[in-house]
Amino acid sequence: MTNRGVGIGMKITGMGAALPEKVITNEDLTAFMDTSDEWIRERTGISQRRIGGTTSGLAIEAGQKALDESGVDPLEIELLIVATTTPDYIMPATAPAVAHELGLDCGAFDVAAVCSGFAYAITVAQGYLAQGLTKILVIGADTMERITDYTDRGTGILFANGAGAAVVEADETGEGQILGWDLGANGKYVHILYSEHDDTMVMDGKEVFRQAVKVMRQSTMKTLEMAGLTVDDVDIIVPHQANVRIVESAWKKLGFSMDKTLMVLNETGNTSAASIPLCLDRGLSQDRIKTGDNVLMLGFGAGMTWASVLLRWNGITTHTAGF
Ligand code: UT7
Protein backbone atom coordinates (compact mmCIF):
# COMPACT_ATOMS: atom_id res chain seq x y z
CA MET A 1 0.00 0.00 0.00
CA THR A 2 1.32 3.47 -0.79
CA ASN A 3 1.91 5.89 2.05
CA ARG A 4 -1.02 8.18 1.33
CA GLY A 5 -0.29 11.63 2.79
CA VAL A 6 2.56 10.27 4.84
CA GLY A 7 5.58 12.54 4.95
CA ILE A 8 3.64 15.68 5.88
CA GLY A 9 5.18 16.91 9.12
CA MET A 10 2.71 17.30 11.99
CA LYS A 11 3.10 18.04 15.67
CA ILE A 12 0.74 18.84 18.53
CA THR A 13 1.95 21.96 20.31
CA GLY A 14 -0.85 22.53 22.81
CA MET A 15 -3.56 20.45 24.47
CA GLY A 16 -6.59 21.37 26.50
CA ALA A 17 -9.36 19.52 28.29
CA ALA A 18 -12.74 20.53 29.68
CA LEU A 19 -15.18 18.57 31.81
CA PRO A 20 -18.38 19.92 33.33
CA GLU A 21 -18.48 20.21 37.11
CA LYS A 22 -21.36 17.90 37.92
CA VAL A 23 -20.14 14.40 38.78
CA ILE A 24 -22.50 11.42 38.56
CA THR A 25 -21.12 8.41 40.39
CA ASN A 26 -22.21 4.83 39.80
CA GLU A 27 -23.88 4.98 43.18
CA ASP A 28 -25.89 8.04 42.03
CA LEU A 29 -27.19 6.02 39.07
CA THR A 30 -28.72 3.43 41.36
CA ALA A 31 -31.40 6.03 42.15
CA PHE A 32 -32.59 5.88 38.50
CA MET A 33 -31.96 2.27 37.50
CA ASP A 34 -31.52 -1.25 38.76
CA THR A 35 -27.70 -1.42 38.78
CA SER A 36 -24.77 -1.33 41.16
CA ASP A 37 -21.37 0.33 41.44
CA GLU A 38 -19.74 -3.10 41.41
CA TRP A 39 -21.50 -4.22 38.20
CA ILE A 40 -20.65 -1.03 36.32
CA ARG A 41 -17.00 -1.02 37.39
CA GLU A 42 -16.51 -4.69 36.58
CA ARG A 43 -18.36 -4.68 33.25
CA THR A 44 -17.18 -1.29 31.94
CA GLY A 45 -14.32 0.14 34.03
CA ILE A 46 -16.31 3.32 34.74
CA SER A 47 -16.67 4.79 38.25
CA GLN A 48 -18.03 8.22 37.48
CA ARG A 49 -18.91 10.56 34.64
CA ARG A 50 -19.60 14.30 34.21
CA ILE A 51 -22.71 16.00 32.92
CA GLY A 52 -23.71 19.61 32.28
CA GLY A 53 -22.38 22.34 30.02
CA THR A 54 -22.89 22.78 26.31
CA THR A 55 -20.89 21.35 23.44
CA SER A 56 -19.69 24.77 22.33
CA GLY A 57 -18.97 25.89 25.91
CA LEU A 58 -16.81 22.84 26.63
CA ALA A 59 -15.12 23.14 23.23
CA ILE A 60 -14.27 26.79 23.89
CA GLU A 61 -12.78 26.00 27.30
CA ALA A 62 -10.64 23.15 25.94
CA GLY A 63 -9.68 25.16 22.85
CA GLN A 64 -8.56 28.16 24.93
CA LYS A 65 -6.31 25.95 27.07
CA ALA A 66 -4.75 24.38 23.99
CA LEU A 67 -4.12 27.81 22.44
CA ASP A 68 -2.61 29.11 25.69
CA GLU A 69 -0.25 26.16 25.92
CA SER A 70 0.87 26.40 22.30
CA GLY A 71 1.50 30.13 22.51
CA VAL A 72 -0.11 30.47 19.08
CA ASP A 73 -2.01 33.73 18.58
CA PRO A 74 -5.68 32.96 17.80
CA LEU A 75 -5.37 35.03 14.62
CA GLU A 76 -2.61 32.69 13.40
CA ILE A 77 -4.95 29.69 13.46
CA GLU A 78 -5.91 28.95 9.86
CA LEU A 79 -8.65 26.36 10.39
CA LEU A 80 -10.90 25.06 13.17
CA ILE A 81 -12.28 21.53 13.02
CA VAL A 82 -14.75 20.51 15.73
CA ALA A 83 -15.54 16.80 15.94
CA THR A 84 -18.95 16.39 17.53
CA THR A 85 -22.11 14.37 17.26
CA THR A 86 -24.05 16.56 19.67
CA PRO A 87 -23.83 20.05 18.13
CA ASP A 88 -25.61 22.90 19.93
CA TYR A 89 -27.87 23.31 16.90
CA ILE A 90 -28.86 21.21 13.90
CA MET A 91 -27.69 24.29 12.02
CA PRO A 92 -25.31 26.05 12.09
CA ALA A 93 -22.38 23.81 12.92
CA THR A 94 -20.75 24.26 16.33
CA ALA A 95 -17.38 25.34 14.95
CA PRO A 96 -18.26 28.92 13.86
CA ALA A 97 -19.47 29.92 17.35
CA VAL A 98 -16.40 28.30 18.92
CA ALA A 99 -14.12 30.12 16.48
CA HIS A 100 -15.80 33.42 17.28
CA GLU A 101 -15.45 33.02 21.06
CA LEU A 102 -11.79 31.99 20.72
CA GLY A 103 -11.04 35.02 18.54
CA LEU A 104 -10.15 32.97 15.45
CA ASP A 105 -10.50 34.35 11.96
CA CYS A 106 -10.55 31.29 9.71
CA GLY A 107 -12.66 28.54 8.21
CA ALA A 108 -14.52 26.47 10.77
CA PHE A 109 -16.57 23.32 10.34
CA ASP A 110 -17.77 20.23 12.21
CA VAL A 111 -16.87 16.62 11.53
CA ALA A 112 -19.56 14.13 12.54
CA ALA A 113 -18.12 10.65 12.95
CA VAL A 114 -19.39 10.10 16.51
CA CYS A 115 -16.78 8.46 18.75
CA SER A 116 -14.29 8.19 15.86
CA GLY A 117 -14.62 11.93 15.30
CA PHE A 118 -11.36 13.18 16.78
CA ALA A 119 -9.24 10.60 14.93
CA TYR A 120 -11.14 11.40 11.72
CA ALA A 121 -10.52 15.11 12.31
CA ILE A 122 -6.78 14.59 12.77
CA THR A 123 -6.61 13.00 9.31
CA VAL A 124 -8.62 15.93 7.91
CA ALA A 125 -6.10 18.31 9.51
CA GLN A 126 -3.29 16.33 7.94
CA GLY A 127 -4.92 16.88 4.53
CA TYR A 128 -4.98 20.64 5.10
CA LEU A 129 -1.35 20.67 6.26
CA ALA A 130 -0.57 18.91 2.97
CA GLN A 131 -2.30 21.81 1.21
CA GLY A 132 -0.03 24.30 2.92
CA LEU A 133 -1.78 25.32 6.14
CA THR A 134 0.52 25.44 9.17
CA LYS A 135 -1.68 25.93 12.25
CA ILE A 136 -4.99 24.14 12.84
CA LEU A 137 -7.11 23.79 15.96
CA VAL A 138 -8.80 20.40 16.31
CA ILE A 139 -11.40 19.90 19.03
CA GLY A 140 -13.45 16.86 20.02
CA ALA A 141 -16.49 17.89 22.07
CA ASP A 142 -19.70 16.13 23.02
CA THR A 143 -22.60 16.44 25.43
CA MET A 144 -23.85 12.88 25.15
CA GLU A 145 -26.08 13.57 28.15
CA ARG A 146 -28.49 15.26 25.75
CA ILE A 147 -29.18 12.02 23.90
CA THR A 148 -28.81 9.62 26.84
CA ASP A 149 -31.64 8.14 28.87
CA TYR A 150 -30.19 7.84 32.37
CA THR A 151 -32.79 5.26 33.30
CA ASP A 152 -31.58 2.92 30.54
CA ARG A 153 -29.13 0.35 31.92
CA GLY A 154 -27.33 -0.10 28.61
CA THR A 155 -26.47 3.49 27.71
CA GLY A 156 -27.09 5.45 30.94
CA ILE A 157 -24.08 3.92 32.68
CA LEU A 158 -21.71 4.79 29.82
CA PHE A 159 -22.19 8.19 28.24
CA ALA A 160 -21.18 11.65 29.46
CA ASN A 161 -19.90 15.09 28.48
CA GLY A 162 -16.46 16.54 27.81
CA ALA A 163 -14.10 18.20 25.35
CA GLY A 164 -10.46 17.93 24.37
CA ALA A 165 -8.49 20.17 22.03
CA ALA A 166 -5.18 20.08 20.18
CA VAL A 167 -3.25 22.77 18.34
CA VAL A 168 -1.88 20.93 15.33
CA GLU A 169 1.06 22.53 13.53
CA ALA A 170 3.13 21.69 10.50
CA ASP A 171 6.46 20.17 11.53
CA GLU A 172 9.09 21.46 9.14
CA THR A 173 11.63 18.95 10.46
CA GLY A 174 9.42 16.03 9.46
CA GLU A 175 10.33 14.34 12.74
CA GLY A 176 6.72 14.52 13.81
CA GLN A 177 4.44 13.02 11.22
CA ILE A 178 1.58 10.63 10.61
CA LEU A 179 3.21 7.33 9.67
CA GLY A 180 -0.02 5.55 8.80
CA TRP A 181 -3.77 5.99 9.03
CA ASP A 182 -7.03 4.27 8.25
CA LEU A 183 -10.63 5.45 8.11
CA GLY A 184 -13.63 3.16 7.86
CA ALA A 185 -17.41 3.19 7.87
CA ASN A 186 -20.02 0.47 7.52
CA GLY A 187 -23.59 1.73 7.33
CA LYS A 188 -24.89 -1.81 7.56
CA TYR A 189 -24.56 -1.28 11.32
CA VAL A 190 -26.48 2.00 11.64
CA HIS A 191 -29.19 0.19 13.60
CA ILE A 192 -26.91 -1.02 16.41
CA LEU A 193 -26.31 2.51 17.77
CA TYR A 194 -28.36 5.52 16.74
CA SER A 195 -30.42 8.42 17.96
CA GLU A 196 -33.33 9.94 16.08
CA HIS A 197 -34.00 13.69 16.18
CA ASP A 198 -35.23 14.79 19.63
CA ASP A 199 -34.86 11.31 21.04
CA THR A 200 -32.36 9.34 23.11
CA MET A 201 -29.87 6.75 21.97
CA VAL A 202 -30.80 3.19 21.09
CA MET A 203 -27.96 0.68 21.41
CA ASP A 204 -27.41 -3.02 20.91
CA GLY A 205 -24.51 -3.11 23.37
CA LYS A 206 -23.42 -6.67 22.67
CA GLU A 207 -23.21 -6.12 18.91
CA VAL A 208 -21.39 -2.79 19.32
CA PHE A 209 -18.92 -4.58 21.58
CA ARG A 210 -18.35 -7.35 19.02
CA GLN A 211 -17.95 -4.98 16.07
CA ALA A 212 -15.71 -2.61 18.04
CA VAL A 213 -13.22 -5.35 18.89
CA LYS A 214 -13.18 -6.44 15.24
CA VAL A 215 -12.69 -3.00 13.69
CA MET A 216 -10.07 -1.90 16.22
CA ARG A 217 -7.96 -4.88 15.28
CA GLN A 218 -8.49 -4.54 11.52
CA SER A 219 -7.90 -0.80 11.48
CA THR A 220 -4.72 -1.07 13.56
CA MET A 221 -3.32 -3.68 11.20
CA LYS A 222 -4.05 -1.48 8.16
CA THR A 223 -2.40 1.53 9.75
CA LEU A 224 0.66 -0.47 10.79
CA GLU A 225 0.89 -1.93 7.30
CA MET A 226 0.90 1.56 5.79
CA ALA A 227 3.59 2.61 8.24
CA GLY A 228 5.63 -0.52 7.58
CA LEU A 229 5.69 -1.15 11.33
CA THR A 230 4.57 -3.85 13.73
CA VAL A 231 2.57 -3.92 16.96
CA ASP A 232 5.86 -3.82 18.91
CA ASP A 233 6.77 -0.49 17.31
CA VAL A 234 3.78 1.24 18.90
CA ASP A 235 4.84 3.05 22.09
CA ILE A 236 1.57 4.54 23.32
CA ILE A 237 -2.00 3.62 22.43
CA VAL A 238 -4.88 6.06 22.85
CA PRO A 239 -8.09 4.08 22.36
CA HIS A 240 -11.60 5.47 22.35
CA GLN A 241 -12.89 5.20 25.91
CA ALA A 242 -16.09 3.15 25.74
CA ASN A 243 -15.53 0.06 27.87
CA VAL A 244 -12.24 -1.23 29.27
CA ARG A 245 -13.29 -4.77 28.36
CA ILE A 246 -13.54 -3.78 24.68
CA VAL A 247 -9.96 -2.51 24.83
CA GLU A 248 -8.75 -5.62 26.67
CA SER A 249 -10.47 -7.95 24.19
CA ALA A 250 -9.04 -6.11 21.18
CA TRP A 251 -5.57 -6.02 22.75
CA LYS A 252 -5.66 -9.78 23.37
CA LYS A 253 -6.10 -10.29 19.64
CA LEU A 254 -3.57 -7.60 18.69
CA GLY A 255 -0.90 -8.35 21.27
CA PHE A 256 -0.90 -4.82 22.74
CA SER A 257 -0.25 -4.35 26.43
CA MET A 258 -2.39 -2.30 28.80
CA ASP A 259 0.86 -0.78 30.13
CA LYS A 260 1.22 1.17 26.89
CA THR A 261 -2.43 2.23 26.91
CA LEU A 262 -3.81 5.57 28.09
CA MET A 263 -7.16 5.33 29.90
CA VAL A 264 -9.37 7.98 31.55
CA LEU A 265 -12.67 6.13 31.26
CA ASN A 266 -12.81 5.44 34.98
CA GLU A 267 -13.31 9.16 35.65
CA THR A 268 -15.01 10.38 32.48
CA GLY A 269 -17.24 7.64 31.08
CA ASN A 270 -17.68 7.63 27.32
CA THR A 271 -17.37 11.22 26.11
CA SER A 272 -17.55 10.24 22.41
CA ALA A 273 -15.39 12.59 20.26
CA ALA A 274 -13.72 13.99 23.38
CA SER A 275 -12.40 10.69 24.67
CA ILE A 276 -9.18 10.44 22.63
CA PRO A 277 -8.02 14.04 23.26
CA LEU A 278 -8.91 13.72 26.96
CA CYS A 279 -6.68 10.65 27.09
CA LEU A 280 -3.86 12.44 25.26
CA ASP A 281 -4.20 15.32 27.70
CA ARG A 282 -3.93 12.95 30.66
CA GLY A 283 -1.00 11.06 29.10
CA LEU A 284 0.92 14.30 28.64
CA SER A 285 0.16 15.38 32.22
CA GLN A 286 1.63 12.10 33.42
CA ASP A 287 4.76 12.47 31.20
CA ARG A 288 3.78 9.28 29.38
CA ILE A 289 4.50 10.62 25.85
CA LYS A 290 8.09 11.23 24.74
CA THR A 291 9.64 12.74 21.61
CA GLY A 292 9.88 10.08 18.91
CA ASP A 293 7.17 7.87 20.42
CA ASN A 294 4.80 6.23 17.95
CA VAL A 295 1.37 7.19 19.29
CA LEU A 296 -1.63 5.25 18.00
CA MET A 297 -5.03 6.96 18.23
CA LEU A 298 -7.81 4.43 17.70
CA GLY A 299 -11.47 5.36 17.52
CA PHE A 300 -14.71 3.50 16.79
CA GLY A 301 -18.32 4.47 17.12
CA ALA A 302 -21.81 4.64 15.72
CA GLY A 303 -22.15 4.39 11.98
CA MET A 304 -20.27 2.20 12.42
CA THR A 305 -17.24 4.33 11.89
CA TRP A 306 -13.66 3.72 12.88
CA ALA A 307 -10.34 5.46 12.49
CA SER A 308 -6.73 4.89 13.44
CA VAL A 309 -3.82 7.29 13.18
CA LEU A 310 -0.20 6.54 14.01
CA LEU A 311 1.59 9.79 14.86
CA ARG A 312 5.33 9.91 15.48
CA TRP A 313 5.42 12.42 18.29
CA ASN A 314 7.45 15.61 18.06
CA GLY A 315 5.11 17.88 19.99
CA ILE A 316 4.83 18.97 23.59
CA THR A 317 5.96 16.45 26.18
CA THR A 318 5.10 18.41 29.30
CA HIS A 319 1.65 19.62 30.14
CA THR A 320 0.61 21.34 33.31
CA ALA A 321 -2.97 22.34 32.61
CA GLY A 322 -4.41 18.80 32.50
CA PHE A 323 -7.78 17.97 34.00
O1 UT7 B 1 -18.78 4.43 21.63
C1 UT7 B 1 -19.38 3.19 21.46
C2 UT7 B 1 -20.42 3.11 22.48
N1 UT7 B 1 -20.96 1.88 22.92
C3 UT7 B 1 -20.26 0.83 23.42
O2 UT7 B 1 -19.08 0.76 23.39
C4 UT7 B 1 -21.09 -0.26 24.04
C5 UT7 B 1 -20.46 -1.60 23.95
N2 UT7 B 1 -21.15 -2.55 24.81
C6 UT7 B 1 -20.93 -2.59 26.15
O3 UT7 B 1 -20.12 -1.84 26.69
C7 UT7 B 1 -21.66 -3.65 26.94
O4 UT7 B 1 -22.38 -4.50 26.07
C8 UT7 B 1 -22.62 -3.09 28.02
C9 UT7 B 1 -21.82 -2.41 29.13
C10 UT7 B 1 -23.59 -2.09 27.41
C11 UT7 B 1 -23.41 -4.23 28.65
O5 UT7 B 1 -22.50 -5.15 29.22
P1 UT7 B 1 -22.64 -6.70 28.90
O6 UT7 B 1 -21.54 -7.38 29.60
O7 UT7 B 1 -22.72 -6.88 27.41
O8 UT7 B 1 -24.00 -7.06 29.61
P2 UT7 B 1 -25.24 -7.85 29.02
O9 UT7 B 1 -26.09 -6.96 28.21
O10 UT7 B 1 -24.75 -9.14 28.43
O11 UT7 B 1 -25.99 -8.25 30.35
C12 UT7 B 1 -25.46 -9.21 31.28
C13 UT7 B 1 -26.35 -9.23 32.48
C14 UT7 B 1 -27.83 -9.35 32.15
O12 UT7 B 1 -28.45 -10.07 33.21
P3 UT7 B 1 -28.77 -11.62 33.05
O13 UT7 B 1 -29.64 -11.75 31.84
O14 UT7 B 1 -27.44 -12.30 32.89
O15 UT7 B 1 -29.45 -11.96 34.35
C15 UT7 B 1 -28.32 -7.94 32.19
O16 UT7 B 1 -29.68 -7.84 32.50
O17 UT7 B 1 -26.21 -8.00 33.21
C16 UT7 B 1 -27.48 -7.34 33.30
N3 UT7 B 1 -27.24 -5.93 33.12
C17 UT7 B 1 -26.99 -5.10 34.14
N4 UT7 B 1 -26.93 -5.30 35.46
C18 UT7 B 1 -26.66 -4.23 36.24
C19 UT7 B 1 -27.19 -5.24 31.96
N5 UT7 B 1 -26.91 -3.95 32.20
C20 UT7 B 1 -26.79 -3.85 33.55
C21 UT7 B 1 -26.50 -2.76 34.42
N6 UT7 B 1 -26.46 -3.01 35.75
N7 UT7 B 1 -26.30 -1.52 33.97
Side-chain angles (χ1 to χ4, degrees):
M1 193 190 299
T2 53
N3 288 359
R4 292 165 294 162
V6 169
I8 304 300
M10 172 194 279
K11 59 186 177 184
I12 290 178
T13 59
M15 289 291 311
L19 290 174
E21 274 178 19
K22 190 166 173 50
V23 175
I24 302 280
T25 64
N26 292 345
E27 204 55 49
D28 293 335
L29 288 175
T30 61
F32 317 120
M33 65 174 85
D34 179 16
T35 190
S36 68
D37 174 47
E38 194 190 3
W39 193 96
I40 300 171
R41 275 191 290 109
E42 273 176 14
R43 306 301 291 175
T44 70
I46 299 169
S47 296
Q48 63 175 50
R49 71 263 326 121
R50 305 281 191 103
I51 61 164
T54 62
T55 297
S56 62
L58 293 166
I60 291 161
E61 187 184 333
Q64 187 62 60
K65 288 181 187 169
L67 284 170
D68 291 346
E69 184 165 70
S70 72
V72 172
D73 187 297
L75 292 174
E76 289 179 69
I77 295 288
E78 296 158 307
L79 181 68
L80 170 66
I81 308 169
V82 175
T84 185
T85 195
T86 47
D88 288 357
Y89 304 104
I90 288 175
M91 60 164 271
T94 308
V98 174
H100 175 68
E101 290 300 325
L102 290 174
L104 313 187
D105 182 15
C106 60
F109 61 87
D110 290 2
V111 164
V114 200
C115 305
S116 317
F118 187 81
Y120 256 76
I122 288 287
T123 69
V124 176
Q126 182 203 27
Y128 281 99
L129 293 181
Q131 290 187 51
L133 298 193
T134 59
K135 291 178 176 54
I136 300 173
L137 181 59
V138 181
I139 304 179
D142 267 308
T143 45
M144 298 306 278
E145 171 196 356
R146 290 166 43 221
I147 53 168
T148 302
D149 173 359
Y150 284 99
T151 65
D152 173 49
R153 295 206 300 180
T155 54
I157 56 170
L158 302 176
F159 291 95
N161 301 352
V167 173
V168 172
E169 295 193 53
D171 183 351
E172 307 299 341
T173 69
E175 291 301 316
Q177 64 167 277
I178 290 180
L179 302 174
W181 58 275
D182 173 60
L183 298 184
N186 187 349
K188 184 176 145 195
Y189 293 107
V190 167
H191 67 281
I192 65 174
L193 182 51
Y194 66 92
S195 171
E196 297 200 21
H197 285 294
D198 300 321
D199 207 348
T200 50
M201 243 180 293
V202 176
M203 181 175 81
D204 176 348
K206 276 197 174 312
E207 193 56 27
V208 173
F209 194 118
R210 241 191 311 270
Q211 293 303 325
V213 172
K214 191 174 86 186
V215 300
M216 284 171 98
R217 186 176 58 78
Q218 288 174 350
S219 191
T220 297
M221 295 321 290
K222 280 192 180 172
T223 286
L224 288 175
E225 189 192 342
M226 188 191 292
L229 295 175
T230 69
V231 162
D232 292 337
D233 296 315
V234 178
D235 299 297
I236 293 287
I237 313 139
V238 195
H240 169 50
Q241 306 286 294
N243 184 328
V244 71
R245 290 190 302 120
I246 294 180
V247 176
E248 288 167 349
S249 303
W251 278 203
K252 227 177 257 170
K253 294 201 161 89
L254 276 161
F256 280 146
S257 111
M258 286 305 281
D259 293 346
K260 291 182 172 182
T261 308
L262 301 179
M263 298 295 293
V264 292
L265 176 79
N266 176 40
E267 292 166 54
T268 62
N270 181 345
T271 56
S272 193
S275 85
I276 287 178
L278 285 173
C279 260
L280 272 177
D281 187 276
R282 176 56 60 82
L284 286 164
S285 298
Q286 296 177 334
D287 300 326
R288 299 270 308 269
I289 305 178
K290 301 184 299 298
T291 302
D293 274 355
N294 292 326
V295 178
L296 179 70
M297 300 176 222
L298 184 53
F300 63 88
M304 282 201 67
T305 57
W306 58 92
S308 54
V309 179
L310 186 65
L311 176 63
R312 189 169 64 208
W313 196 267
N314 194 33
I316 44 163
T317 51
T318 55
H319 182 60
T320 47
F323 68 97

